[in-house]
Amino acid sequence: MKGTYDFGLVGLGVMGRNFILNVADKGYSAYGNDLDSEKVDALIKEGGNTDKVNATTDAKTFVDALSTPRKIMLLVPAGKIVDAVIEGLLPLLDKDDIIIDGGNSFFTDTDRREAELAEKGIHFFGAGVSGGAKGARLGPSIMPGGNKSAYQHVKPIFEAVAAKYKGEPCVAYLGPKSAGNYVKMVHNGIEYGLMQLTSEIYDLLKKGGDFSNEELHQTYKTWNEGRLQSFLVQITSEIFAKKDDMGDGHLVDKILDKAKQKGTGKWTSQNAMDLGIPVPSIDIAVSMREISALKEERIQADKLYDRPSVLPFEKLPLETLAEEALYFSFIITYAQGLHQLSDASKEYGYDLDIAEIAKIWRAGCIIRAGLLADISEAFKTDTYLPNLLLAPTFVEKVQSTVNAARTLVSYAAKNGIPVPGLSNSLTYFDAYTSSRLPLNLIQAQRDYFGSHTYERLDRDGVFHTEWET
Ligand code: 6PG
């Protein structure tokens, strides 16, 4: 049986429900499906009583309600549930129907699913969706990858529901197979890096400059009106203003300092290692979440060791330096993530357009920032740009802010304030911009103990030396 609904969505949690309501707002009819009848009822209540939104717990009723080729999005937790949902839908589908996984699935799972479903004549898309529950309702950034011609059926709906940046939708076909999930994974890796940096700067302002929450609120708010304009800086400013409704003071001070993670940042780091691409600002952000989890051990260790008492920094220069250092390290983090994307594109045959990716990150997603417009321009000007640090338009931005990072990293080291994101960003910059590194010695050591050979600066060829005299 063929129905009339334009779009189907499985998984009516907050994200799914909001996404459906967004689709309906844009004039498309949408049908939801969830095993949980309470979620089905909630959607019908919120969006129902119109012919645009409906929902059911029954998979057959759901599939039959959709027009062909069916466009079915899954917004369910990544992992086995995705496979289980696909298995349930498969017998009910027709050739050329389209399944879109909107979750944070691991990219090799997407490759497997895409290949298995292609054999059955079903098109499978991995489409990262960023922006949280509010983004899903009002306009997310969407990162789809899969079969290009099948994407044409999904395109008008995605372009209608996506966030808009100066009228341009924050969605684009990114490439074949798992390109969409891969790009979303690296988006999240960058997200981890930016969050870590934002929190380190907060620590420096608080410990070094004795900033109150009101001052922190005001500082991040002012920064968000300048070149640091970004979603994460904006919400950080709002967080410092929030009072605790369960007690005195501000909520931020009552929150346990253990950061959880669902895995996408770790996957970015792991895969960067596999590709041989350095992303230390992202690696350390993952490690810091892991260190944060060791709260009980940290409390014990804190008692065992003395740390220097923090020498105060003058408030105003600290604020200026913090702004510059944050801007510097944000650029470095984007540079690393985009470097990873360029390399992954070649390795996995995604044929990614980095300028286009930066464009669809300008609004809707968690890492949206004013900077992304400049980043997109840089990659548009030079499509083969290996690293953002090599873009002529970025040299001045980085050159004029790197010294602030140097000052703050050395101040933090002297005063026992951990700023590993900032320091890794600085070290990455110093290493990437060094024409000569001391790794000649590592080559000599390798050759010494294992005859692994080395190359020379002054002549071609591969050499081995008997080092022991
Ligand atoms: C987004 C976010 C989202 C992610 C959360 C939490 O783009 O909307 O990246 O996909 O799930 O930010 O991630 P962690 O639990 O790993 O911090």
Side-chain angles (χ1 to χ4, degrees):
M1 212 176 109
K2 284 170 194 166
T4 56
Y5 281 80
D6 301 313
F7 191 75
L9 195 145
V10 181
L12 301 179
V14 191
M15 284 287 285
R17 192 168 70 235
N18 281 355
F19 201 93
I20 281 213
L21 295 171
N22 184 357
V23 170
D25 277 352
K26 303 299 176 316
Y28 293 98
S29 51
Y31 216 105
N33 173 231
D34 199 293
L35 291 176
D36 183 343
S37 59
E38 279 181 22
K39 288 184 180 155
V40 165
D41 293 344
L43 174 66
I44 293 176
K45 199 167 161 224
E46 208 176 330
N49 306 326
T50 71
D51 52 4
K52 288 266 174 262
V53 177
N54 210 336
T56 174
T57 53
D58 180 56
K60 182 157 168 36
T61 310
F62 167 69
V63 170
D64 285 348
L66 303 174
S67 63
T68 55
R70 299 182 179 87
K71 295 159 277 297
I72 300 176
M73 185 148 171
L74 318 182
L75 278 172
V76 299
K80 290 200 173 78
I81 299 184
V82 175
D83 291 307
V85 173
I86 293 172
E87 215 172 291
L89 288 172
L90 259 184
L92 307 167
L93 298 181
D94 292 311
K95 195 172 165 298
D96 282 332
D97 282 348
I98 297 165
I99 299 179
I100 308 145
D101 177 10
N104 284 328
S105 289
F106 191 56
F107 72 100
T108 54
D109 284 340
T110 299
D111 285 333
R112 169 180 56 79
R113 289 169 187 142
E114 203 252 357
E116 282 170 9
L117 288 170
E119 275 177 29
K120 298 182 165 73
I122 307 292
H123 303 293
F124 184 75
F125 284 84
V129 178
S130 178
K134 201 168 168 192
R137 183 69 184 88
L138 302 173
S141 171
I142 313 176
M143 296 155 240
N147 180 296
K148 194 170 186 177
S149 58
Y151 180 67
Q152 301 314 310
H153 295 288
V154 185
K155 190 177 173 203
I157 303 179
F158 274 6
E159 290 192 347
V161 300
K164 306 289 178 303
Y165 179 87
K166 295 187 178 164
E168 286 184 74
C170 289
V171 57
Y173 171 79
L174 294 181
K177 302 181 289 181
S178 56
N181 277 127
Y182 194 93
V183 170
K184 177 59 171 42
M185 176 185 82
V186 173
H187 164 285
N188 283 24
I190 296 173
E191 172 185 307
Y192 274 49
L194 304 183
M195 290 168 80
Q196 173 61 30
L197 290 162
T198 322
S199 75
E200 289 175 15
I201 293 293
Y202 145 59
D203 205 23
L204 275 171
L205 292 172
K206 200 172 147 129
K207 290 181 179 152
D210 203 21
F211 277 63
S212 65
N213 285 317
E214 281 82 8
E215 286 169 319
L216 288 164
H217 160 68
Q218 199 48 55
T219 301
Y220 278 83
K221 187 168 180 280
T222 309
W223 290 351
N224 190 46
E225 285 152 15
R227 61 184 168 178
L228 273 174
Q229 184 277 315
S230 57
F231 173 71
L232 287 169
V233 170
Q234 177 214 317
I235 63 164
T236 304
S237 136
E238 289 168 22
I239 287 167
F240 289 124
K242 192 82 179 167
K243 290 275 172 51
D244 182 9
D245 59 11
M246 294 168 101
D248 293 338
H250 288 82
L251 181 54
V252 68
D253 297 324
K254 311 283 179 67
I255 295 177
L256 181 66
D257 52 331
K258 276 177 163 183
K260 303 250 162 74
Q261 51 180 323
K262 287 201 276 293
T264 45
K266 185 186 74 180
W267 296 342
T268 307
S269 249
Q270 283 174 326
N271 186 256
M273 282 276 173
D274 289 343
L275 294 174
I277 296 295
V279 295
S281 304
I282 297 171
D283 300 334
I284 199 66
V286 178
S287 297
M288 281 306 283
R289 293 199 187 190
E290 289 155 2
I291 292 177
S292 84
L294 307 172
K295 175 84 174 174
E296 290 68 29
E297 288 171 51
R298 286 193 284 121
I299 292 172
Q300 223 182 319
D302 194 1
K303 291 188 190 125
L304 293 177
Y305 295 93
D306 292 336
R307 59 184 338 110
S309 43
V310 177
L311 296 174
F313 211 107
E314 261 185 79
K315 252 191 159 106
L316 273 183
L318 180 59
E319 188 173 328
T320 308
L321 290 169
E323 191 270 345
E324 290 175 4
L326 193 56
Y327 185 69
F328 164 80
S329 51
F330 269 23
I331 293 175
I332 299 293
T333 307
Y334 282 112
Q336 292 171 18
L338 295 174
H339 190 193
Q340 180 169 349
L341 284 183
S342 301
D343 206 70
S345 178
K346 288 178 221 137
E347 181 69 21
Y348 304 125
Y350 291 148
D351 199 18
L352 298 176
D353 178 342
I354 306 293
E356 190 68 18
I357 292 168
K359 255 172 106 174
I360 66 165
W361 286 351
R362 289 175 306 175
C365 67
I366 304 296
I367 64 166
R368 63 186 183 257
L371 248 180
L372 281 160
D374 297 338
I375 295 178
S376 177
E377 273 310 309
F379 282 94
K380 205 170 140 199
T381 309
D382 180 357
T383 335
Y384 296 103
L385 192 65
N387 190 307
L388 188 60
L389 289 175
L390 298 174
T393 47
F394 271 79
V395 173
E396 211 278 319
K397 294 184 204 305
V398 173
Q399 191 72 73
S400 62
T401 50
V402 61
N403 282 339
R406 296 193 195 290
T407 308
L408 290 187
V409 167
S410 59
Y411 168 75
K414 274 193 202 130
N415 289 280
I417 304 171
V419 289
L422 194 55
S423 120
N424 268 16
S425 300
L426 180 60
T427 305
Y428 172 86
F429 169 78
D430 282 334
Y432 188 75
T433 56
S434 290
S435 50
R436 178 88 169 141
L437 288 169
L439 287 280
N440 48 330
L441 181 60
I442 292 178
Q443 282 296 76
Q445 291 166 332
R446 293 177 69 247
D447 191 53
Y448 186 117
F449 63 65
S451 304
H452 294 299
T453 74
Y454 57 89
E455 291 168 284
R456 294 180 57 102
L457 287 167
D458 56 355
R459 63 194 72 191
D460 288 340
V462 172
F463 298 86
H464 167 62
T465 295
E466 289 303 318
W467 293 90
E468 274 176 281
T469 48

